[in-house]
Each structure stands twice: as structure tokens, then as C-alpha cells.
Amino acid sequence: MRKFLFLFGWDSLFLLGLCVITVIVLPFWCIPDWLPSLCWSVISAAIVYVATVILPRYRNMEYINRLLLKRMERLLVCWQYLYTNIQRAHLVSEIPMKEISADKQGIPDDKEIDEVCSKMNLLVPPSAMFAYSKQDYSWNELFNQCRENIERNIHEIISINTLDNSKLSSLMDEMQDAYDKFVWSMQKLINMVYSEPMTPEKTAQIGKTYEVQDSLKELAAKFRDLEDKVLQYRAKRRS
């Protein structure tokens, strides 16, 4: 109902009400001569209004929905890029690359996140990271890349999102906070790892202290909500 109200507006509903009244009035013959002319003028105005206002407004909404869907899909790609590198942060020297190359798609559950975090070896640089020749393959560079992409797409979604879909803008704001919290906890852990000799087991234990797992779970929950939004927008486009 809210979607149609936003599409048509109160002005359109008022004009529709006038058209209904004119349709009711026209069949009666005992009306003044000037009233039928007025009724036909109202109907003509309604037709012009639909052609010049309602249809362009509908096309604009369809265009906005396509833009929102595309940027939400880009955010899911950012998550996959980030999580793939986290998945591969193992003892690569002891695990053949072919065994860790088939990364799981989609948003992981809390149990999988605990398992992945318990095997992280942050002394190993990200192995699935895209970088130019002059850039370093490092966790900080990975986080900066993801932050740039996430912030850009979140900003674009909020800027083009309509007021009738405030939940999406709220989700974007919460996602930004969750990502900042996760990066903060990871950077504290990385500083600790490089300051003294670490085993993966000790890294996982300290990671719990710095809430790495909890912050990653919170971020994953926001991306699950985003995944649901993407499915809803895709269903709208097919309907």
C-alpha cells in the first residue's frame, strides 16, 4: 500500500476521486448544462496527469530499484572478497593450495566463523587479494580496499534510496558500524601478532579477547540481512 501511495501521491488520489465523482454524475440528465463539460475536463486532466506525471514517476522508481539492487550486489561481492581472504589465512606451507581454493559461497553461520577464526594465521598475507604491482599484499591494505568499496556503495545506496524504504538506509548505517568494529578488532590482533611470536592457537585465543569472532559474526549478520534484501528486490523485478 505504501509503495502505491508513494508512486501515485495524495494529489493523484485526489484526482482519482474527482474522476470517480464525474463518472457517477455524467449518467444523470437532470444536471446543469455546464456540469458535463466540467466533468469531461476533469477526466481529460486526469489522463494528461497520468501520462506526464504517473508514468515518468513509475519509470524513475524502476530505475532507482535497479540501481539499489546493483549496489547491494556489489556489497555482497565485497563480503565474499573479504571473507575469502579470511578463509585462506591458514598455514599455507602445511596445507596444499588446492585444498583451500574452493571457498564456500554465501554468508557463513556462526559455527563456521568460529572454526575459520580458530585457524587464522595473520603472519601469512592475504592470498586471494587483488593488488597492483606497487602495492603490498597485507591485511591493512585488504581492509582499506574493502572499506573504500563498502563506504562508496553504502553512501550511494543511502543517497538514492527513497524515504519509504528507511529500513534499507538503517541497515546500511549498521553495516558500516559493524565493519569498522571488525577492522578495529582485527588491527589490534594483528599488532599483537607481529609484536611477539605467535602460534595459530594463541592467535585464536587472543582473537576471542579482542572480540574478532563476535565482530565478524555481527558483520556477517548484517550481510545476511542484505542478502535477504537482494532476494526481495530480484523478486520485485521478476514480478
PDB file of all heavy atoms in Angstrom, residues 185-218:
ATOM      1  N   SER A 185      38.987  -4.507  15.703  1.00  0.00           N
ATOM      2  CA  SER A 185      39.392  -5.690  16.470  1.00  0.00           C
ATOM      3  C   SER A 185      40.489  -6.471  15.744  1.00  0.00           C
ATOM      4  O   SER A 185      41.418  -6.984  16.382  1.00  0.00           O
ATOM      5  CB  SER A 185      38.179  -6.592  16.731  1.00  0.00           C
ATOM      6  OG  SER A 185      37.622  -7.068  15.514  1.00  0.00           O
ATOM      7  N   MET A 186      40.408  -6.554  14.411  1.00  0.00           N
ATOM      8  CA  MET A 186      41.439  -7.266  13.651  1.00  0.00           C
ATOM      9  C   MET A 186      42.778  -6.538  13.701  1.00  0.00           C
ATOM     10  O   MET A 186      43.839  -7.164  13.835  1.00  0.00           O
ATOM     11  CB  MET A 186      40.989  -7.423  12.200  1.00  0.00           C
ATOM     12  CG  MET A 186      39.991  -8.531  11.974  1.00  0.00           C
ATOM     13  SD  MET A 186      40.706 -10.191  12.154  1.00  0.00           S
ATOM     14  CE  MET A 186      41.678 -10.299  10.650  1.00  0.00           C
ATOM     15  N   GLN A 187      42.757  -5.239  13.618  1.00  0.00           N
ATOM     16  CA  GLN A 187      44.011  -4.491  13.646  1.00  0.00           C
ATOM     17  C   GLN A 187      44.692  -4.602  15.008  1.00  0.00           C
ATOM     18  O   GLN A 187      45.924  -4.682  15.096  1.00  0.00           O
ATOM     19  CB  GLN A 187      43.758  -3.031  13.286  1.00  0.00           C
ATOM     20  CG  GLN A 187      43.461  -2.829  11.803  1.00  0.00           C
ATOM     21  CD  GLN A 187      43.130  -1.404  11.442  1.00  0.00           C
ATOM     22  OE1 GLN A 187      42.656  -0.631  12.287  1.00  0.00           O
ATOM     23  NE2 GLN A 187      43.363  -1.029  10.193  1.00  0.00           N
ATOM     24  N   LYS A 188      43.927  -4.637  16.067  1.00  0.00           N
ATOM     25  CA  LYS A 188      44.511  -4.852  17.393  1.00  0.00           C
ATOM     26  C   LYS A 188      45.146  -6.233  17.477  1.00  0.00           C
ATOM     27  O   LYS A 188      46.237  -6.398  18.049  1.00  0.00           O
ATOM     28  CB  LYS A 188      43.447  -4.692  18.476  1.00  0.00           C
ATOM     29  CG  LYS A 188      42.970  -3.272  18.682  1.00  0.00           C
ATOM     30  CD  LYS A 188      42.070  -3.157  19.892  1.00  0.00           C
ATOM     31  CE  LYS A 188      42.831  -3.419  21.186  1.00  0.00           C
ATOM     32  NZ  LYS A 188      41.983  -3.194  22.373  1.00  0.00           N
ATOM     33  N   LEU A 189      44.484  -7.223  16.912  1.00  0.00           N
ATOM     34  CA  LEU A 189      45.024  -8.576  16.912  1.00  0.00           C
ATOM     35  C   LEU A 189      46.282  -8.661  16.062  1.00  0.00           C
ATOM     36  O   LEU A 189      47.267  -9.300  16.452  1.00  0.00           O
ATOM     37  CB  LEU A 189      43.961  -9.556  16.406  1.00  0.00           C
ATOM     38  CG  LEU A 189      44.385 -11.030  16.318  1.00  0.00           C
ATOM     39  CD1 LEU A 189      44.826 -11.547  17.681  1.00  0.00           C
ATOM     40  CD2 LEU A 189      43.245 -11.879  15.768  1.00  0.00           C
ATOM     41  N   ILE A 190      46.276  -8.015  14.898  1.00  0.00           N
ATOM     42  CA  ILE A 190      47.443  -8.038  14.025  1.00  0.00           C
ATOM     43  C   ILE A 190      48.640  -7.391  14.711  1.00  0.00           C
ATOM     44  O   ILE A 190      49.773  -7.894  14.647  1.00  0.00           O
ATOM     45  CB  ILE A 190      47.118  -7.329  12.692  1.00  0.00           C
ATOM     46  CG1 ILE A 190      46.136  -8.170  11.877  1.00  0.00           C
ATOM     47  CG2 ILE A 190      48.387  -7.089  11.875  1.00  0.00           C
ATOM     48  CD1 ILE A 190      45.593  -7.474  10.657  1.00  0.00           C
ATOM     49  N   ASN A 191      48.434  -6.278  15.390  1.00  0.00           N
ATOM     50  CA  ASN A 191      49.525  -5.622  16.110  1.00  0.00           C
ATOM     51  C   ASN A 191      50.099  -6.535  17.185  1.00  0.00           C
ATOM     52  O   ASN A 191      51.321  -6.577  17.388  1.00  0.00           O
ATOM     53  CB  ASN A 191      49.033  -4.318  16.740  1.00  0.00           C
ATOM     54  CG  ASN A 191      48.685  -3.268  15.704  1.00  0.00           C
ATOM     55  OD1 ASN A 191      49.185  -3.309  14.581  1.00  0.00           O
ATOM     56  ND2 ASN A 191      47.818  -2.336  16.062  1.00  0.00           N
ATOM     57  N   MET A 192      49.230  -7.277  17.863  1.00  0.00           N
ATOM     58  CA  MET A 192      49.696  -8.210  18.878  1.00  0.00           C
ATOM     59  C   MET A 192      50.471  -9.368  18.250  1.00  0.00           C
ATOM     60  O   MET A 192      51.513  -9.795  18.765  1.00  0.00           O
ATOM     61  CB  MET A 192      48.503  -8.752  19.669  1.00  0.00           C
ATOM     62  CG  MET A 192      48.883  -9.738  20.766  1.00  0.00           C
ATOM     63  SD  MET A 192      49.874  -8.985  22.075  1.00  0.00           S
ATOM     64  CE  MET A 192      48.643  -7.936  22.848  1.00  0.00           C
ATOM     65  N   VAL A 193      49.980  -9.863  17.111  1.00  0.00           N
ATOM     66  CA  VAL A 193      50.652 -10.995  16.447  1.00  0.00           C
ATOM     67  C   VAL A 193      52.063 -10.623  16.023  1.00  0.00           C
ATOM     68  O   VAL A 193      53.010 -11.404  16.168  1.00  0.00           O
ATOM     69  CB  VAL A 193      49.813 -11.454  15.229  1.00  0.00           C
ATOM     70  CG1 VAL A 193      50.616 -12.398  14.346  1.00  0.00           C
ATOM     71  CG2 VAL A 193      48.533 -12.130  15.704  1.00  0.00           C
ATOM     72  N   TYR A 194      52.240  -9.405  15.491  1.00  0.00           N
ATOM     73  CA  TYR A 194      53.551  -9.002  14.994  1.00  0.00           C
ATOM     74  C   TYR A 194      54.480  -8.501  16.099  1.00  0.00           C
ATOM     75  O   TYR A 194      55.669  -8.311  15.872  1.00  0.00           O
ATOM     76  CB  TYR A 194      53.391  -7.907  13.932  1.00  0.00           C
ATOM     77  CG  TYR A 194      53.055  -8.461  12.576  1.00  0.00           C
ATOM     78  CD1 TYR A 194      51.727  -8.639  12.190  1.00  0.00           C
ATOM     79  CD2 TYR A 194      54.055  -8.832  11.678  1.00  0.00           C
ATOM     80  CE1 TYR A 194      51.401  -9.169  10.946  1.00  0.00           C
ATOM     81  CE2 TYR A 194      53.733  -9.351  10.432  1.00  0.00           C
ATOM     82  CZ  TYR A 194      52.412  -9.517  10.073  1.00  0.00           C
ATOM     83  OH  TYR A 194      52.091 -10.043   8.848  1.00  0.00           O
ATOM     84  N   SER A 195      53.946  -8.290  17.289  1.00  0.00           N
ATOM     85  CA  SER A 195      54.796  -7.811  18.377  1.00  0.00           C
ATOM     86  C   SER A 195      55.506  -8.933  19.118  1.00  0.00           C
ATOM     87  O   SER A 195      56.499  -8.698  19.797  1.00  0.00           O
ATOM     88  CB  SER A 195      53.966  -6.984  19.369  1.00  0.00           C
ATOM     89  OG  SER A 195      52.987  -7.803  19.999  1.00  0.00           O
ATOM     90  N   GLU A 196      55.025 -10.166  19.002  1.00  0.00           N
ATOM     91  CA  GLU A 196      55.658 -11.299  19.680  1.00  0.00           C
ATOM     92  C   GLU A 196      55.346 -12.577  18.905  1.00  0.00           C
ATOM     93  O   GLU A 196      54.369 -12.627  18.146  1.00  0.00           O
ATOM     94  CB  GLU A 196      55.144 -11.416  21.104  1.00  0.00           C
ATOM     95  CG  GLU A 196      53.639 -11.562  21.231  1.00  0.00           C
ATOM     96  CD  GLU A 196      53.187 -11.616  22.675  1.00  0.00           C
ATOM     97  OE1 GLU A 196      53.139 -12.750  23.214  1.00  0.00           O
ATOM     98  OE2 GLU A 196      52.899 -10.554  23.240  1.00  0.00           O
ATOM     99  N   PRO A 197      56.183 -13.619  19.088  1.00  0.00           N
ATOM    100  CA  PRO A 197      55.944 -14.882  18.378  1.00  0.00           C
ATOM    101  C   PRO A 197      54.576 -15.461  18.722  1.00  0.00           C
ATOM    102  O   PRO A 197      54.148 -15.431  19.878  1.00  0.00           O
ATOM    103  CB  PRO A 197      57.076 -15.791  18.876  1.00  0.00           C
ATOM    104  CG  PRO A 197      58.139 -14.845  19.347  1.00  0.00           C
ATOM    105  CD  PRO A 197      57.412 -13.656  19.897  1.00  0.00           C
ATOM    106  N   MET A 198      53.903 -15.948  17.695  1.00  0.00           N
ATOM    107  CA  MET A 198      52.541 -16.440  17.870  1.00  0.00           C
ATOM    108  C   MET A 198      52.348 -17.770  17.161  1.00  0.00           C
ATOM    109  O   MET A 198      52.908 -18.001  16.091  1.00  0.00           O
ATOM    110  CB  MET A 198      51.528 -15.436  17.297  1.00  0.00           C
ATOM    111  CG  MET A 198      51.315 -14.211  18.159  1.00  0.00           C
ATOM    112  SD  MET A 198      50.252 -14.572  19.543  1.00  0.00           S
ATOM    113  CE  MET A 198      50.358 -12.984  20.395  1.00  0.00           C
ATOM    114  N   THR A 199      51.544 -18.620  17.773  1.00  0.00           N
ATOM    115  CA  THR A 199      51.047 -19.822  17.108  1.00  0.00           C
ATOM    116  C   THR A 199      49.596 -19.559  16.711  1.00  0.00           C
ATOM    117  O   THR A 199      48.939 -18.677  17.291  1.00  0.00           O
ATOM    118  CB  THR A 199      51.105 -21.033  18.047  1.00  0.00           C
ATOM    119  OG1 THR A 199      50.250 -20.772  19.185  1.00  0.00           O
ATOM    120  CG2 THR A 199      52.538 -21.270  18.518  1.00  0.00           C
ATOM    121  N   PRO A 200      49.068 -20.309  15.748  1.00  0.00           N
ATOM    122  CA  PRO A 200      47.660 -20.114  15.393  1.00  0.00           C
ATOM    123  C   PRO A 200      46.716 -20.293  16.580  1.00  0.00           C
ATOM    124  O   PRO A 200      45.712 -19.593  16.696  1.00  0.00           O
ATOM    125  CB  PRO A 200      47.412 -21.173  14.315  1.00  0.00           C
ATOM    126  CG  PRO A 200      48.753 -21.403  13.708  1.00  0.00           C
ATOM    127  CD  PRO A 200      49.736 -21.265  14.842  1.00  0.00           C
ATOM    128  N   GLU A 201      47.049 -21.231  17.482  1.00  0.00           N
ATOM    129  CA  GLU A 201      46.205 -21.460  18.647  1.00  0.00           C
ATOM    130  C   GLU A 201      46.182 -20.236  19.562  1.00  0.00           C
ATOM    131  O   GLU A 201      45.136 -19.815  20.062  1.00  0.00           O
ATOM    132  CB  GLU A 201      46.690 -22.692  19.423  1.00  0.00           C
ATOM    133  CG  GLU A 201      46.500 -24.011  18.703  1.00  0.00           C
ATOM    134  CD  GLU A 201      47.528 -24.234  17.595  1.00  0.00           C
ATOM    135  OE1 GLU A 201      48.546 -23.502  17.574  1.00  0.00           O
ATOM    136  OE2 GLU A 201      47.294 -25.123  16.750  1.00  0.00           O
ATOM    137  N   LYS A 202      47.373 -19.652  19.777  1.00  0.00           N
ATOM    138  CA  LYS A 202      47.446 -18.465  20.630  1.00  0.00           C
ATOM    139  C   LYS A 202      46.773 -17.274  19.957  1.00  0.00           C
ATOM    140  O   LYS A 202      46.125 -16.458  20.611  1.00  0.00           O
ATOM    141  CB  LYS A 202      48.905 -18.141  20.954  1.00  0.00           C
ATOM    142  CG  LYS A 202      49.061 -17.096  22.054  1.00  0.00           C
ATOM    143  CD  LYS A 202      50.523 -16.931  22.436  1.00  0.00           C
ATOM    144  CE  LYS A 202      50.664 -15.901  23.569  1.00  0.00           C
ATOM    145  NZ  LYS A 202      52.077 -15.723  23.970  1.00  0.00           N
ATOM    146  N   THR A 203      46.922 -17.187  18.637  1.00  0.00           N
ATOM    147  CA  THR A 203      46.257 -16.112  17.894  1.00  0.00           C
ATOM    148  C   THR A 203      44.744 -16.200  18.051  1.00  0.00           C
ATOM    149  O   THR A 203      44.066 -15.192  18.260  1.00  0.00           O
ATOM    150  CB  THR A 203      46.629 -16.177  16.405  1.00  0.00           C
ATOM    151  OG1 THR A 203      48.043 -16.041  16.273  1.00  0.00           O
ATOM    152  CG2 THR A 203      45.943 -15.068  15.625  1.00  0.00           C
ATOM    153  N   ALA A 204      44.208 -17.426  17.945  1.00  0.00           N
ATOM    154  CA  ALA A 204      42.763 -17.624  18.097  1.00  0.00           C
ATOM    155  C   ALA A 204      42.308 -17.263  19.498  1.00  0.00           C
ATOM    156  O   ALA A 204      41.245 -16.663  19.692  1.00  0.00           O
ATOM    157  CB  ALA A 204      42.396 -19.072  17.778  1.00  0.00           C
ATOM    158  N   GLN A 205      43.114 -17.610  20.504  1.00  0.00           N
ATOM    159  CA  GLN A 205      42.749 -17.290  21.877  1.00  0.00           C
ATOM    160  C   GLN A 205      42.726 -15.780  22.109  1.00  0.00           C
ATOM    161  O   GLN A 205      41.803 -15.239  22.720  1.00  0.00           O
ATOM    162  CB  GLN A 205      43.735 -17.954  22.838  1.00  0.00           C
ATOM    163  CG  GLN A 205      43.385 -17.746  24.305  1.00  0.00           C
ATOM    164  CD  GLN A 205      44.368 -18.452  25.227  1.00  0.00           C
ATOM    165  OE1 GLN A 205      45.333 -19.062  24.779  1.00  0.00           O
ATOM    166  NE2 GLN A 205      44.117 -18.363  26.527  1.00  0.00           N
ATOM    167  N   ILE A 206      43.753 -15.082  21.605  1.00  0.00           N
ATOM    168  CA  ILE A 206      43.790 -13.630  21.747  1.00  0.00           C
ATOM    169  C   ILE A 206      42.681 -12.984  20.924  1.00  0.00           C
ATOM    170  O   ILE A 206      42.096 -11.967  21.297  1.00  0.00           O
ATOM    171  CB  ILE A 206      45.167 -13.084  21.327  1.00  0.00           C
ATOM    172  CG1 ILE A 206      46.254 -13.629  22.253  1.00  0.00           C
ATOM    173  CG2 ILE A 206      45.183 -11.570  21.346  1.00  0.00           C
ATOM    174  CD1 ILE A 206      47.657 -13.220  21.871  1.00  0.00           C
ATOM    175  N   GLY A 207      42.374 -13.598  19.757  1.00  0.00           N
ATOM    176  CA  GLY A 207      41.302 -13.074  18.918  1.00  0.00           C
ATOM    177  C   GLY A 207      39.973 -13.039  19.648  1.00  0.00           C
ATOM    178  O   GLY A 207      39.174 -12.117  19.471  1.00  0.00           O
ATOM    179  N   LYS A 208      39.720 -14.042  20.507  1.00  0.00           N
ATOM    180  CA  LYS A 208      38.491 -14.018  21.300  1.00  0.00           C
ATOM    181  C   LYS A 208      38.499 -12.862  22.287  1.00  0.00           C
ATOM    182  O   LYS A 208      37.479 -12.218  22.529  1.00  0.00           O
ATOM    183  CB  LYS A 208      38.342 -15.351  22.040  1.00  0.00           C
ATOM    184  CG  LYS A 208      38.063 -16.535  21.139  1.00  0.00           C
ATOM    185  CD  LYS A 208      37.901 -17.812  21.937  1.00  0.00           C
ATOM    186  CE  LYS A 208      37.606 -18.995  21.018  1.00  0.00           C
ATOM    187  NZ  LYS A 208      37.461 -20.262  21.780  1.00  0.00           N
ATOM    188  N   THR A 209      39.688 -12.577  22.845  1.00  0.00           N
ATOM    189  CA  THR A 209      39.803 -11.457  23.785  1.00  0.00           C
ATOM    190  C   THR A 209      39.480 -10.137  23.091  1.00  0.00           C
ATOM    191  O   THR A 209      38.822  -9.264  23.655  1.00  0.00           O
ATOM    192  CB  THR A 209      41.213 -11.393  24.385  1.00  0.00           C
ATOM    193  OG1 THR A 209      41.521 -12.645  25.006  1.00  0.00           O
ATOM    194  CG2 THR A 209      41.325 -10.279  25.401  1.00  0.00           C
ATOM    195  N   TYR A 210      39.961  -9.978  21.861  1.00  0.00           N
ATOM    196  CA  TYR A 210      39.725  -8.746  21.114  1.00  0.00           C
ATOM    197  C   TYR A 210      38.421  -8.780  20.325  1.00  0.00           C
ATOM    198  O   TYR A 210      38.185  -7.925  19.471  1.00  0.00           O
ATOM    199  CB  TYR A 210      40.903  -8.479  20.169  1.00  0.00           C
ATOM    200  CG  TYR A 210      42.151  -8.040  20.880  1.00  0.00           C
ATOM    201  CD1 TYR A 210      43.404  -8.392  20.407  1.00  0.00           C
ATOM    202  CD2 TYR A 210      42.080  -7.250  22.026  1.00  0.00           C
ATOM    203  CE1 TYR A 210      44.567  -7.978  21.061  1.00  0.00           C
ATOM    204  CE2 TYR A 210      43.227  -6.842  22.681  1.00  0.00           C
ATOM    205  CZ  TYR A 210      44.470  -7.204  22.206  1.00  0.00           C
ATOM    206  OH  TYR A 210      45.590  -6.795  22.853  1.00  0.00           O
ATOM    207  N   GLU A 211      37.591  -9.799  20.580  1.00  0.00           N
ATOM    208  CA  GLU A 211      36.245  -9.894  20.006  1.00  0.00           C
ATOM    209  C   GLU A 211      36.257  -9.974  18.486  1.00  0.00           C
ATOM    210  O   GLU A 211      35.353  -9.471  17.820  1.00  0.00           O
ATOM    211  CB  GLU A 211      35.391  -8.694  20.450  1.00  0.00           C
ATOM    212  CG  GLU A 211      35.242  -8.588  21.960  1.00  0.00           C
ATOM    213  CD  GLU A 211      34.418  -7.390  22.390  1.00  0.00           C
ATOM    214  OE1 GLU A 211      34.164  -6.529  21.517  1.00  0.00           O
ATOM    215  OE2 GLU A 211      34.028  -7.312  23.549  1.00  0.00           O
ATOM    216  N   VAL A 212      37.280 -10.622  17.921  1.00  0.00           N
ATOM    217  CA  VAL A 212      37.333 -10.763  16.468  1.00  0.00           C
ATOM    218  C   VAL A 212      36.172 -11.615  15.969  1.00  0.00           C
ATOM    219  O   VAL A 212      35.472 -11.246  15.019  1.00  0.00           O
ATOM    220  CB  VAL A 212      38.683 -11.377  16.033  1.00  0.00           C
ATOM    221  CG1 VAL A 212      38.660 -11.748  14.557  1.00  0.00           C
ATOM    222  CG2 VAL A 212      39.815 -10.395  16.306  1.00  0.00           C
ATOM    223  N   GLN A 213      35.969 -12.764  16.628  1.00  0.00           N
ATOM    224  CA  GLN A 213      34.877 -13.640  16.198  1.00  0.00           C
ATOM    225  C   GLN A 213      33.523 -12.951  16.320  1.00  0.00           C
ATOM    226  O   GLN A 213      32.693 -13.003  15.405  1.00  0.00           O
ATOM    227  CB  GLN A 213      34.867 -14.943  17.012  1.00  0.00           C
ATOM    228  CG  GLN A 213      35.976 -15.912  16.639  1.00  0.00           C
ATOM    229  CD  GLN A 213      37.155 -15.793  17.580  1.00  0.00           C
ATOM    230  OE1 GLN A 213      37.523 -14.687  17.969  1.00  0.00           O
ATOM    231  NE2 GLN A 213      37.748 -16.912  17.937  1.00  0.00           N
ATOM    232  N   ASP A 214      33.288 -12.300  17.467  1.00  0.00           N
ATOM    233  CA  ASP A 214      31.980 -11.664  17.686  1.00  0.00           C
ATOM    234  C   ASP A 214      31.727 -10.550  16.676  1.00  0.00           C
ATOM    235  O   ASP A 214      30.612 -10.407  16.157  1.00  0.00           O
ATOM    236  CB  ASP A 214      31.908 -11.105  19.114  1.00  0.00           C
ATOM    237  CG  ASP A 214      31.863 -12.207  20.162  1.00  0.00           C
ATOM    238  OD1 ASP A 214      31.507 -13.340  19.798  1.00  0.00           O
ATOM    239  OD2 ASP A 214      32.183 -11.933  21.336  1.00  0.00           O
ATOM    240  N   SER A 215      32.757  -9.754  16.398  1.00  0.00           N
ATOM    241  CA  SER A 215      32.573  -8.654  15.442  1.00  0.00           C
ATOM    242  C   SER A 215      32.370  -9.183  14.025  1.00  0.00           C
ATOM    243  O   SER A 215      31.596  -8.612  13.245  1.00  0.00           O
ATOM    244  CB  SER A 215      33.767  -7.706  15.487  1.00  0.00           C
ATOM    245  OG  SER A 215      34.975  -8.377  15.158  1.00  0.00           O
ATOM    246  N   LEU A 216      33.043 -10.298  13.683  1.00  0.00           N
ATOM    247  CA  LEU A 216      32.847 -10.889  12.360  1.00  0.00           C
ATOM    248  C   LEU A 216      31.452 -11.502  12.244  1.00  0.00           C
ATOM    249  O   LEU A 216      30.810 -11.415  11.192  1.00  0.00           O
ATOM    250  CB  LEU A 216      33.919 -11.945  12.079  1.00  0.00           C
ATOM    251  CG  LEU A 216      33.891 -12.576  10.682  1.00  0.00           C
ATOM    252  CD1 LEU A 216      34.008 -11.513   9.594  1.00  0.00           C
ATOM    253  CD2 LEU A 216      35.021 -13.594  10.535  1.00  0.00           C
ATOM    254  N   LYS A 217      30.969 -12.099  13.332  1.00  0.00           N
ATOM    255  CA  LYS A 217      29.606 -12.639  13.330  1.00  0.00           C
ATOM    256  C   LYS A 217      28.583 -11.521  13.154  1.00  0.00           C
ATOM    257  O   LYS A 217      27.593 -11.672  12.429  1.00  0.00           O
ATOM    258  CB  LYS A 217      29.341 -13.390  14.635  1.00  0.00           C
ATOM    259  CG  LYS A 217      30.096 -14.692  14.794  1.00  0.00           C
ATOM    260  CD  LYS A 217      29.842 -15.282  16.175  1.00  0.00           C
ATOM    261  CE  LYS A 217      30.691 -16.510  16.419  1.00  0.00           C
ATOM    262  NZ  LYS A 217      30.500 -17.040  17.793  1.00  0.00           N
ATOM    263  N   GLU A 218      28.811 -10.399  13.834  1.00  0.00           N
ATOM    264  CA  GLU A 218      27.901  -9.266  13.707  1.00  0.00           C
ATOM    265  C   GLU A 218      27.893  -8.725  12.283  1.00  0.00           C
ATOM    266  O   GLU A 218      26.824  -8.416  11.725  1.00  0.00           O
ATOM    267  CB  GLU A 218      28.320  -8.159  14.680  1.00  0.00           C
ATOM    268  CG  GLU A 218      27.415  -6.945  14.659  1.00  0.00           C
ATOM    269  CD  GLU A 218      27.865  -5.873  15.626  1.00  0.00           C
ATOM    270  OE1 GLU A 218      28.725  -6.155  16.490  1.00  0.00           O
ATOM    271  OE2 GLU A 218      27.367  -4.730  15.518  1.00  0.00           O
TER     272      GLU A 218
END
